[in-house]
């Protein structure tokens, strides 16, 4: 009846299935072994053929420069397209791009660009000044949904045109004087204007191609797909396989084609930094988009030259909702800011050379070094909190830190939670939300304290300080100071000299830090792994890569990095 | 059997309609819109975007419009990737996912069923404990752990297989198939052991034994059929699940499959993409559940009669 | 032959559980499993009093250290004691594992049994509802739950239970439908036994095997699902933790700090093996056909 009765037949019972099982194990083993035999790695193959394998973070949302918004898109688009001006890959100073030279009027408001006669689109069409007028007109069509339209606002009447108060584009300060001369008139002398021209939102697009696949202001036509897109940069699009790869190849019509060092670049959507690091280690990538935090000390202790860490123009801070009753008192906000041991966070948790900061703007932004009276001082913080009516943290309501789901945000929040508890004796809860929910909560003001960061669009204090304007969509703290707005919007743009302008920014930043609607925590670093065969790659503050300068050296193909 | 299948396919229509309706409501009531971003979106841009994707219409109008499109086989444009249609995105992810699912299921069935049968033939002996303990390990070993482990051992230290990719270089499909298949193998092993034990103690097996048939023949011809019924109930949804793609495995190995779309669409609030993948997934589930029910009927003569009679 | 089984199952009926306990006590592995589970539960209950450190106590300068005399299982990157964190994590994981699985078990078994037993139209409707629930986008569902009800641990049980019962229902239904056509059940019908008695005496005991097997499979997947949901922001929030979360953090650093993966992994495995052996023992003990040992 039960299986004990089977015992008499065990010997036969064993034979068939057991044999099948062993055979299957063997088959599985063979399957595994047959797959081996190595083959050449991407990196060493790429070094011979001039193909760069680039870890690019995520699948690009769009390759239309007037629609795209992210860093991964930035890499691909800058390989395909070029603006009037490029940036020096080390100093970020403007250098000639499509424009071989330019003149600036004495009042700093009128720029005249002289375009290269030999500039061509990738289909051989001549590339002329009118292309810019049309492209910039297109970028300012609201129907297109261009999130970077504000990059144009320094141009005379661009904001008015975009917002519909002016309907005639001729009034906007862009004019093609002839085929090779473009004149741009600005609203105010804008010291960082030339930098903006290297941002993809001001890149030109090929009118005939865009219009072949739809109207100019139609979002999501097929003009950017492989086989369709026509561009003006060092490379042209060869292949775009969704979630798999984007391949670009040398563009023979590029004005500087002979100085382009690579034949091909393959961009991979490497979402997971841990997987990406393994791809790098096994020679599948020349360059990674990121390095997992826990791997940084390992590479560093090995002295592995693949690790590339550089300061990055980005600030990590906590927003404080100043409408929450117990956070309305600035003494409370300052007490919280003073009770964070930033050195501990950057040194022991983040470990990638991030710099503790006590101000919003990263130091050295266009020669601007913000002064701040904020320090790590738990005793003073405690006293300040007592003055605000919470001696030894008594009676302080439970306060929540909101952050979006992410390993490093979690680590920082856990550490700060513990610091505030230890130094101020207050109870802190953590609230982790999925990205879109977090965005919703933050912009609706449904948070108490929230993790935030800001990456500069261009190297100028303005890129950071205009965050906390009263009506700024990115303020989200409820803090509003008329004097601050006046300094940023009216005073700073009118300043004649750079030093005077920086002094105004310092004044504004002091106001901000005194009220402390945000708690500065650290300044970002960019972190990548790069194979030693990649040459001429210079790190810079914006973490931008000039793809046309890169070359690959085949000798050093096997130095992917040590084993660990 | 034929009528049974037709009947079930007819039932699928209301099922799909309910799935679409509930998903539509869920998606539109989830916090965070498709266009919210880190940098504040200016109101005029938001308005232009919403108008373009018809999000400014009343919800019922959007719903009717969507149903109409779906009836014509059009899942609409993706909100996240301008210019890509949902149909196109699903079509781009399906080949890799289907291939991976097929290999993973092969791995799962071979390892799982043979381990389960081997264990069931000699219960409570070493021959039982070893494969079952391995199966248990397979269950504890989630793919987010097994994948990286396999990669470290076979990809990085032994350098036998590529650490990622799909169809890019020889052997890059092996580790993903094993990673994805192992979890299912473990389930199948346990279910088939249980099923086999159940069957092996049935009368007809006793009868067969009494007739003096060799045990291997009894197992192969008589016991397997019944013993694998629980496995078959499991395989239906499991295979549908596999075809829906595995986010974890696809991410670890950089495979351009449906799983990444499915999860990313939810994160991105890409409404049409969520709906499209859900409808696709629901259809798969219905079809595979039907197939697994039909297989169960075919394997069980008594149910076969009923299917002929009742439906 | 039918008669033999009929007599056997009939005379046993009520003493199913007593019988089972007698048989279970003879199964040494199952008893070990039971003992391990009891110890784990007791330790978890007493954790706040017996844990060597506080679970949120950090020492950033210490950082991640391998096992030592002060920290038996090492420390994590915050310098927190791993033994303490595993003990506290067990409270979450065991609660989620047992409660969510219990919820899934009750709904799944009832749903599957009713569908399978009723057959026909009722079965069709019930199983189509299962199809619908299978197909809904789970993550969107979770995000909505979180927004509508706020975060709490019971929501976590609900969310997990809501997905885990579906497969259980399918398995039970398949089993019940197969049983319904077995000779001894048909014989019981022809003898005029009431439906309830047939369900209680024949259907339930005979479906217990696969149900127990599937339950032991569900507990680990529930624990891992909890880790996934907590990671998404539903469920528990740091500095609290669970075994699943500790493992998923451990995976990230398995080359650098292997102990952060090994110890929570071992704990989870130990629990699962214990559950597995107990489950197998129970299955054998409850199997009606092994009762005349």
């Amino acid at each position: 009846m039960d299986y004990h009765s089977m015992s008499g037949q065990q010997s036969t019972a064993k034979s068939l299935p057991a044999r099948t099982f062993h055979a299957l194990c063997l088959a599985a083993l063979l399957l595994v072994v047959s797959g081996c035999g190595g083959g050449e790695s991407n990196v060493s193959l790429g070094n011979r053929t001039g193909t760069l394998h680039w870890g690019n973070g995520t699948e690009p949302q769009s390759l239309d420069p007037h629609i795209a918004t992210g860093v991964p898109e930035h890499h691909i688009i800058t390989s395909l397209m070029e603006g009037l001006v490029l940036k020096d890959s080390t100093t970020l100073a403007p250098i000639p791009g499509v424009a071989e030279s330019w003149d600036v009027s004495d009042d700093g408001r009128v720029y005249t660009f002289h375009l290269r006669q030999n500039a061509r689109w990738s289909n051989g069409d001549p590339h002329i000044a009118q292309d810019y007028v049309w492209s910039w007109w297109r970028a300012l069509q609201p129907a297109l949904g261009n999130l970077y339209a504000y990059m144009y606002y320094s141009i005379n009447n661009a904001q008015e045109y975009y917002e519909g108060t002016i309907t005639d584009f001729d009034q906007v300060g862009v004019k093609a004087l002839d085929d090779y001369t473009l004149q741009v008139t600005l609203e105010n002398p804008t010291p960082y204007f030339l930098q903006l021209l290297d941002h993809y939102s001001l890149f030109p697009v090929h009118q005939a191609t865009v219009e072949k696949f739809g109207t100019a202001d139609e979002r999501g036509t097929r003009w950017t797909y492989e086989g369709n897109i026509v561009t003006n940069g060092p490379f042209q699009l060869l292949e775009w396989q969704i979630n798999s790869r984007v391949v670009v190849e040398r563009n023979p019509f590029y004005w500087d084609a002979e100085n382009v060092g690579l034949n091909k670049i393959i961009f991979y959507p490497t979402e997971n930094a841990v997987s990406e690091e393994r791809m790098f280690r096994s020679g599948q990538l020349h360059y990674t988009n990121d390095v997992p935090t826990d791997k940084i000390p390992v590479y560093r202790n090995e002295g592995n030259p693949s690790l590339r860490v550089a300061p990055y123009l980005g600030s990590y801070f906590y927003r404080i909702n100043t409408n929450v009753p117990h956070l309305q008192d600035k003494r409370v906000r300052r007490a919280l800011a003073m009770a964070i041991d930033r050195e501990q966070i950057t040194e022991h948790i983040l470990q990638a050379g991030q710099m503790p900061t006590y101000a919003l703007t990263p130091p050295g932004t266009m020669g601007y070094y913000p002064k701040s009276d904020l320090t790590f001082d738990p005793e003073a913080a405690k006293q300040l909190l007592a003055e605000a009516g919470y001696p030894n943290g008594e009676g302080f309501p439970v306060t929540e830190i909101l952050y979006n789901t992410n390993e490093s945000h979690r680590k920082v929040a856990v550490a700060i939670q513990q610091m505030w508890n230890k130094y101020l004796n207050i109870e802190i809860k953590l609230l982790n939300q999925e990205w879109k929910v977090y965005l919703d909560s933050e912009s609706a003001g449904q948070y108490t304290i929230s993790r935030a960061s800001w990456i500069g669009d261009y190297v100028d204090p303005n890129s950071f300080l205009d965050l906390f304007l009263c009506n700024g969509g990115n303020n989200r703290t409820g803090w509003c100071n008329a004097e601050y707005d006046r300094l940023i919007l009216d005073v700073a743009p009118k300043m004649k000299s750079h030093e005077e302008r920086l002094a105004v920014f310092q004044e504004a930043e002091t106001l901000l830090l005194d009220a402390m609607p945000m708690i500065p925590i650290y300044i970002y670093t960019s972190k990548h792994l790069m194979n030693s065969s990649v040459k001429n790659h210079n790190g810079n503050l914006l973490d931008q890569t000039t793809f046309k300068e890169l070359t690959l050296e085949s000798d050093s193909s096997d130095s992917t990095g040590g084993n660990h | 059997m034929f009528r049974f299948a037709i009947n079930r396919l007819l039932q699928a229509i209301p099922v799909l309609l309910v799935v679409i309706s509930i998903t539509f409501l869920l998606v539109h009531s989830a916090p965070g819109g498709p266009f919210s971003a880190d940098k504040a979106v200016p109101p005029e841009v938001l308005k232009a975007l919403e108008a373009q994707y018809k999000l400014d219409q009343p919800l019922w109008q959007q719903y009717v419009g969507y149903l109409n499109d779906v009836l014509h086989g059009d899942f609409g444009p993706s909100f996240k990737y301008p210019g890509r249609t949902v149909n196109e995105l699903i079509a781009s992810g399906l080949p890799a996912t289907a291939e991976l699912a097929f290999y993973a299921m092969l791995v799962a069935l071979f390892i799982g069923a043979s381990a389960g049968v081997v264990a069931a033939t000699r219960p409570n002996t070493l021959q039982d404990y070893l494969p079952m303990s391995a199966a248990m390990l397979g269950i504890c070993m989630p793919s987010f752990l097994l994948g990286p482990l396999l990669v470290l051992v076979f990809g990085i230290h032994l350098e036998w297989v590529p650490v990622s990719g799909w169809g890019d270089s020889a052997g890059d499909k092996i580790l993903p198939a094993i990673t994805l298949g192992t979890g299912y193998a473990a389930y199948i092993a346990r279910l088939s052991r249980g099923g086999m034990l159940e069957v092996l103690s049935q009368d007809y097996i006793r009868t067969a034994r009494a007739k003096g048939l060799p045990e291997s023949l009894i197992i192969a011809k008589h016991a397997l059929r019944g013993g694998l019924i629980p496995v078959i109930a499991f395989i239906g949804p499991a295979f549908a699940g596999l075809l829906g793609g595995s986010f974890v495995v696809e991410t670890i190995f950089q495979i351009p499959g449906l799983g990444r779309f499915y999860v990313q669409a939810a994160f991105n609030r890409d409404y049409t993409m969520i709906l499209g993948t859900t409808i696709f997934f629901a259809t798969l589930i219905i079809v595979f559940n039907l197939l697994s029910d039909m297989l169960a009927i075919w394997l069980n003569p008594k149910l076969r009669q009923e299917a002929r009679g009742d439906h | 032959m039918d008669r033999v089984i009929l007599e056997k199952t009939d005379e046993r009926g009520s003493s199913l559980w007593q019988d089972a306990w007698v048989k279970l006590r003879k199964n040494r592995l199952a008893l070990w499993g039971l003992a391990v589970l009891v110890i784990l539960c007791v330790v978890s209950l007493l954790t706040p009093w017996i844990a060597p450190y506080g679970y949120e106590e950090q020492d950033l300068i210490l950082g991640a250290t391998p096992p030592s005399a002060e920290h038996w299982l090492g420390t994590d990157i915050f310098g927190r004691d791993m033994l303490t964190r595993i003990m506290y994590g067990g409270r979450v994981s065991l609660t989620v594992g047992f409660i969510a699985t219990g919820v899934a078990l009750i709904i799944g078994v009832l749903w599957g049994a009713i569908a399978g037993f009723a057959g026909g139209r009722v079965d069709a409707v019930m199983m189509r509802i299962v199809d619908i629930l299978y197909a809904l986008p789970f993550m969107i569902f979770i995000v909505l739950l979180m927004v509508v009800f706020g975060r709490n641990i019971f929501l976590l049980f609900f969310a997990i239970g809501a997905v885990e019962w579906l497969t259980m229902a399918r398995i039970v239904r398949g089993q019940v439908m197969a049983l319904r056509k077995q000779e001894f059940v048909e014989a019981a019908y022809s003898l005029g036994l009431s439906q309830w008695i047939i369900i209680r005496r024949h259907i339930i005991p005979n479906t217990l095997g696969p149900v127990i097997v599937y339950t032991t499979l569900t507990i680990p997947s529930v624990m891992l699902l909890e880790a996934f949901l907590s990671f998404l922001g539903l469920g528990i929030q740091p500095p609290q933790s669970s075994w699943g979360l500790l493992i998923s953090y451990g995976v990230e650093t398995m080359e650098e700090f292997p102990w952060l993966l090994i110890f929570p992994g071992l704990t989870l495995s130990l629990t699962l093996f214990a559950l597995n052996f107990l489950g197998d023992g129970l299955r054998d003990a409850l199997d009606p056909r092994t009762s005349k040992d």
Side-chain angles (χ1 to χ4, degrees):
Chain A
M1 187 90 258
D2 58 286
Y3 39 70
H4 291 248
S5 61
M6 273 173 51
S7 48
Q9 289 161 345
Q10 267 168 9
S11 51
T12 38
K14 190 179 170 184
S15 55
L16 173 88
R19 226 181 285 145
T20 330
F21 185 63
H22 292 148
L24 281 168
C25 288
L26 200 67
L29 195 70
L30 279 175
L31 186 77
V32 170
V33 175
S34 68
C36 72
E40 203 175 0
S41 76
N42 278 350
V43 164
S44 61
L45 193 68
N47 289 345
R48 279 197 289 111
T49 59
T51 305
L52 177 71
H53 296 269
W54 182 274
N56 201 37
T58 58
E59 170 71 12
Q61 188 180 359
S62 170
L63 295 186
D64 188 326
H66 303 150
I67 289 179
T69 51
V71 172
E73 289 81 358
H74 177 95
H75 291 308
I76 302 177
I77 291 174
T78 51
S79 76
L80 294 171
M81 304 178 191
E82 187 173 291
L84 290 165
V85 168
L86 291 170
K87 286 193 199 88
D88 182 280
S89 54
T90 314
T91 63
L92 295 176
I95 56 170
V98 171
E100 59 188 341
S101 64
W102 55 86
D103 316 311
V104 189
S105 68
D106 290 342
D107 66 353
R109 285 187 61 226
V110 183
Y111 285 71
T112 311
F113 296 93
H114 306 288
L115 273 61
R116 290 174 197 277
Q117 313 251 347
N118 62 342
R120 290 271 180 284
W121 291 96
S122 57
N123 63 354
D125 281 1
H127 183 20
I128 53 173
Q130 189 60 35
D131 286 332
Y132 284 88
V133 180
W134 188 82
S135 298
W136 292 3
W137 165 80
R138 174 183 187 254
L140 289 173
Q141 299 308 305
L144 194 63
N146 180 2
L147 289 177
Y148 270 120
Y150 66 85
M151 295 293 270
Y152 285 83
Y153 287 179
S154 53
I155 299 173
N156 196 29
N157 285 336
Q159 183 167 9
E160 288 80 357
Y161 178 78
Y162 187 71
E163 285 167 356
T165 46
I166 287 178
T167 51
D168 182 8
F169 190 72
D170 287 344
Q171 289 182 291
V172 179
V174 194
K175 268 187 190 59
L177 300 182
D178 60 50
D179 277 1
Y180 297 102
T181 314
L182 185 78
Q183 191 186 64
V184 183
T185 312
L186 305 183
E187 201 112 23
N188 288 305
T190 310
Y192 51 89
F193 175 66
L194 284 174
Q195 281 190 50
L196 300 181
L197 294 172
D198 188 39
H199 189 273
Y200 55 77
S201 57
L202 279 92
F203 283 178
V205 293
H206 189 248
Q207 183 176 356
T209 308
V210 173
E211 288 180 335
K212 190 169 147 196
F213 295 95
T215 57
D217 63 352
E218 193 175 338
R219 193 182 164 86
T221 69
R222 310 183 69 87
W223 81 271
T224 51
Y225 292 173
E226 62 184 55
N228 302 351
I229 190 171
V230 172
T231 56
N232 70 339
F235 297 91
Q236 57 183 348
L237 184 66
L238 182 66
E239 192 187 331
W240 181 0
Q241 282 183 32
I242 305 170
N243 262 355
S244 177
R245 63 181 65 202
V246 173
V247 185
V248 301
E249 62 173 355
R250 183 192 276 276
N251 171 10
F253 289 104
Y254 179 59
W255 63 267
D256 199 15
E258 69 228 48
N259 291 322
V260 174
L262 299 169
N263 291 321
K264 250 188 204 175
I265 307 171
I266 306 184
F267 296 94
Y268 297 91
T270 46
E271 270 146 38
N272 183 309
V274 179
S275 296
E276 191 189 35
E277 189 270 341
R278 287 191 293 256
M279 286 173 78
F280 178 81
R281 235 192 300 169
S282 72
Q284 289 192 4
L285 293 176
H286 280 106
Y287 190 87
T288 66
N289 177 58
D290 197 6
V291 188
T293 308
D294 303 301
K295 286 276 186 271
I296 288 172
V298 178
Y299 276 85
R300 189 167 281 156
N301 294 342
E302 277 177 359
N304 192 321
S306 304
L307 181 67
R308 312 261 298 190
V309 172
Y312 186 41
L313 191 71
S315 206
Y316 189 100
F317 55 93
Y318 275 6
R319 282 193 173 95
I320 299 180
N321 188 346
T322 56
N323 293 323
V324 170
H326 68 280
L327 298 176
Q328 275 169 354
D329 188 333
K330 81 174 184 194
R331 286 173 300 189
V332 172
R333 302 200 293 263
R334 286 188 62 90
L336 291 174
M338 288 160 86
I340 296 175
D341 189 349
R342 293 161 181 80
E343 309 265 342
Q344 292 260 13
I345 292 174
T346 54
E347 221 166 283
H348 298 290
I349 293 175
L350 303 165
Q351 306 184 45
Q354 286 90 344
M355 199 175 20
T357 187
Y358 302 92
L360 172 65
T361 314
T365 308
M366 279 281 250
Y368 174 67
Y369 293 86
K371 290 195 244 343
S372 169
D373 62 344
L374 180 64
T375 49
F376 166 57
D377 188 346
E379 281 315 306
K382 217 170 180 170
Q383 199 170 346
L384 215 50
L385 200 65
E387 283 169 29
Y390 307 102
N392 194 28
E394 279 156 35
F396 197 81
V398 177
T399 304
E400 225 167 35
I401 299 177
L402 170 71
Y403 65 98
N404 58 299
T405 306
N406 171 297
E407 191 61 12
S408 104
H409 301 335
R410 177 182 67 87
K411 288 178 181 166
V412 173
V414 166
I416 290 181
Q417 174 185 41
Q418 183 63 15
M419 289 171 186
W420 282 349
N421 181 266
K422 184 167 142 198
Y423 299 130
L424 301 177
N425 193 30
I426 56 178
E427 198 185 332
I428 302 295
K429 281 174 96 172
L430 300 186
L431 175 57
N432 157 25
Q433 285 183 344
E434 183 258 337
W435 177 240
K436 290 273 182 179
V437 182
Y438 153 85
L439 286 178
D440 228 34
S441 309
E442 204 188 46
S443 54
Q446 285 164 350
Y447 72 94
T448 316
I449 294 174
S450 147
R451 167 332 283 183
S453 54
W454 191 258
I455 310 294
D457 291 320
Y458 45 89
V459 192
D460 191 275
N462 192 61
S463 186
F464 287 86
L465 291 173
D466 72 357
L467 219 59
F468 289 96
L469 295 175
C470 286
N471 297 318
N474 295 312
N475 181 327
R476 299 173 197 168
T477 60
W479 178 75
C480 175
N481 183 315
E483 174 62 10
Y484 182 86
D485 277 26
R486 196 183 66 86
L487 288 171
I488 301 292
L489 291 176
D490 300 332
V491 182
K494 303 258 156 52
M495 288 294 127
K496 288 276 179 295
S497 79
H498 188 54
E499 287 66 35
E500 284 174 295
R501 209 167 147 261
L502 295 189
V504 175
F505 284 133
Q506 177 65 66
E507 206 180 320
E509 185 140 7
T510 305
L511 282 177
L512 178 74
L513 293 173
D514 178 63
M516 201 68 66
M518 48 74 73
I519 302 177
I521 298 171
Y522 67 87
I523 301 298
Y524 277 97
T525 47
S526 60
K527 31 194 212 315
H528 304 281
L529 296 171
M530 188 174 84
N531 190 283
S532 53
S533 62
V534 181
K535 300 293 171 195
N536 287 337
H537 188 284
N538 303 310
N540 58 51
L541 203 54
L542 287 175
D543 195 25
Q544 288 182 355
T545 301
T546 310
F547 287 102
K548 72 177 205 181
E549 290 176 353
L550 301 187
T551 55
L552 291 171
E553 199 171 80
S554 42
D555 304 344
S556 47
S557 62
D558 46 355
S559 55
T560 311
N563 282 320
H564 55 263
Chain B
M1 190 75 121
F2 181 68
R3 275 187 52 198
F4 168 76
I6 293 292
N7 215 320
R8 278 283 288 275
L9 287 178
L10 283 178
Q11 290 173 11
I13 296 169
V15 168
L16 276 178
L17 203 66
V18 174
V19 168
I20 295 174
S21 312
I22 297 180
T23 310
F24 193 87
L25 277 177
L26 279 179
V27 159
H28 281 266
S29 43
F35 308 116
S36 56
D38 201 0
K39 293 187 175 174
V41 183
E44 59 276 6
V45 174
L46 196 63
K47 243 171 88 183
L49 289 173
E50 286 183 340
Q52 189 179 350
Y53 295 104
K54 297 182 185 132
L55 290 175
D56 51 349
Q57 295 177 353
L59 202 60
W60 67 268
Q61 212 169 326
Q62 293 181 43
Y63 176 70
V64 172
Y66 183 76
L67 275 187
N68 188 36
D69 288 347
V70 169
L71 269 183
H72 294 91
D74 176 13
F75 289 146
S78 158
F79 288 10
K80 166 79 179 175
Y81 302 105
R84 304 267 183 211
T85 65
V86 173
N87 297 48
E88 185 185 343
L89 290 174
I90 291 179
S92 83
L94 187 58
T97 292
E99 207 186 335
L100 174 60
F102 180 73
Y103 294 148
M105 199 38 112
L106 276 187
V107 169
L109 271 177
F110 272 132
I111 300 179
S114 44
V117 171
V118 167
T121 49
R122 290 186 70 186
N124 302 331
T125 63
L126 204 62
Q127 190 184 320
D128 179 13
Y129 294 141
L130 272 184
M132 282 306 109
S133 302
M136 215 51 212
L137 265 182
I139 294 170
C140 320
M141 191 82 92
S143 45
F144 69 77
L145 168 55
L146 181 62
L149 265 183
L150 289 176
V151 168
L152 281 180
V153 175
F154 295 103
I156 290 192
H157 290 294
L158 296 174
E159 295 185 7
W160 285 2
V161 282
V163 302
S164 80
W166 188 253
D168 296 332
S169 40
D172 62 4
K173 296 178 181 174
I174 295 173
L175 293 187
I178 294 175
T179 307
L180 191 53
T182 303
Y184 289 90
Y187 274 74
I188 290 174
R190 302 231 5 108
L191 288 171
S192 59
R193 175 185 179 271
M196 285 301 285
L197 282 181
E198 204 74 33
V199 169
L200 284 174
S201 57
Q202 296 272 351
D203 310 327
Y204 65 92
I205 300 294
R206 270 200 337 167
T207 315
R209 285 203 184 114
K211 281 193 202 153
L213 289 177
E215 190 71 17
S216 54
L217 192 72
I218 293 175
I219 288 170
K221 263 197 108 169
H222 300 282
L224 267 181
R225 219 182 207 202
L228 293 184
I229 287 181
V231 176
I232 285 157
F234 171 78
I235 285 181
F239 200 68
L242 278 174
L243 277 179
S246 160
F247 175 70
V248 175
V249 173
E250 286 174 14
T251 308
I252 292 173
F253 294 100
Q254 295 280 325
I255 300 169
L258 281 177
R260 279 158 88 184
F261 282 136
Y262 192 59
V263 174
Q264 284 164 355
F267 283 134
N268 294 331
R269 303 292 188 277
D270 191 342
Y271 293 167
T272 44
M273 192 67 196
I274 299 172
L275 278 159
T277 42
T278 302
I279 295 170
F280 177 77
F281 190 46
T283 314
L284 283 177
I285 285 172
I286 290 167
V287 170
F288 279 92
N289 279 356
L290 172 60
L291 287 179
S292 92
D293 285 354
M294 282 167 70
L295 206 59
I297 290 170
W298 179 73
L299 286 171
N300 190 331
K302 296 232 166 97
L303 286 174
R304 223 185 301 177
Q305 281 168 12
E306 189 189 353
R308 225 172 277 147
D310 285 5
H311 292 270
Chain C
M1 190 154 306
D2 296 350
R3 206 168 0 102
V4 177
I5 300 168
L6 195 65
E7 281 170 13
K8 183 202 72 178
T9 41
D10 265 353
E11 80 187 22
R12 190 186 32 79
S14 57
S15 61
L16 178 72
W17 297 102
Q18 292 158 3
D19 256 18
W21 175 237
V22 171
K23 273 187 288 176
L24 188 65
R25 275 200 313 207
K26 290 188 200 150
N27 186 334
R28 196 178 295 168
L29 271 175
L31 283 184
W32 272 111
L34 186 64
V36 168
L37 286 177
V38 168
I39 291 171
L40 283 169
C41 290
V42 170
V43 169
S44 291
L45 274 175
L46 298 179
T47 290
W49 295 279
I50 60 173
Y53 296 86
Y55 69 101
E56 78 287 20
E57 248 171 62
Q58 297 181 7
D59 187 346
L60 289 178
I61 293 166
L62 182 66
T65 54
S68 62
E70 295 86 57
H71 300 281
W72 292 356
L73 303 185
T75 54
D76 70 3
I77 59 151
F78 294 99
R80 296 179 294 196
D81 182 60
M82 272 311 274
L83 176 61
T84 309
R85 298 199 46 84
I86 291 174
M87 286 166 76
Y88 273 97
R91 289 161 71 87
V92 174
S93 284
L94 289 173
T95 322
V96 170
F98 288 125
I99 296 187
T101 306
V103 170
L105 191 68
I106 292 166
I107 306 178
V109 168
L110 280 179
W111 196 273
I114 293 170
F117 203 77
R121 203 143 289 177
V122 177
D123 170 47
V125 170
M126 290 179 81
M127 293 324 282
R128 293 305 77 75
I129 292 176
V130 170
D131 285 351
I132 290 170
L133 290 175
Y134 256 124
L136 290 179
F138 181 61
M139 280 205 335
I140 295 287
F141 174 67
I142 295 296
V143 168
L144 263 181
L145 274 183
M146 175 169 61
V147 170
V148 176
F149 297 102
R151 282 169 308 116
N152 71 52
I153 197 103
F154 292 102
L155 200 62
L156 191 64
F157 301 151
F158 175 76
I160 293 175
V163 283
E164 290 293 336
W165 69 267
L166 300 169
T167 306
M168 179 74 82
R170 273 187 66 83
I171 287 176
V172 171
R173 171 185 171 269
Q175 197 71 18
V176 169
M177 282 179 72
L179 278 170
R180 204 157 56 105
K181 295 288 154 189
Q182 297 267 348
E183 290 92 344
F184 64 88
V185 176
E186 282 179 348
Y189 264 116
S190 60
L191 284 176
L193 291 175
S194 81
Q195 270 208 355
W196 174 238
I197 291 178
I198 293 171
I199 292 181
R200 215 184 43 174
R201 289 214 186 143
H202 301 296
I203 307 290
I204 292 181
N206 281 294
T207 41
L208 273 177
V211 166
I212 289 171
V213 169
Y214 192 73
T215 306
T216 55
L217 296 175
T218 304
I219 292 177
S221 69
V222 158
M223 289 179 178
L224 293 173
L225 191 58
E226 173 273 318
F228 175 68
L229 294 183
S230 296
F231 189 75
L232 281 185
L234 179 81
I236 60 164
Q237 294 284 340
Q240 280 196 316
S241 202
S242 68
W243 292 341
L245 270 179
L246 288 174
I247 290 175
S248 61
Y249 297 149
V251 169
E252 304 279 306
T253 55
M254 65 184 181
E255 283 178 275
E256 294 79 33
F257 315 121
W259 60 93
L260 297 185
L261 173 61
I262 291 171
F263 293 120
L266 278 180
T267 317
L268 185 68
S269 306
L270 180 69
T271 314
L272 299 186
F273 274 99
L275 270 170
N276 182 28
F277 289 132
L278 180 63
D280 279 358
L282 272 177
R283 197 201 71 91
D284 293 344
L286 288 167
D287 189 336
R289 282 177 299 272
T290 57
S291 59
K292 283 204 168 163
D293 243 337

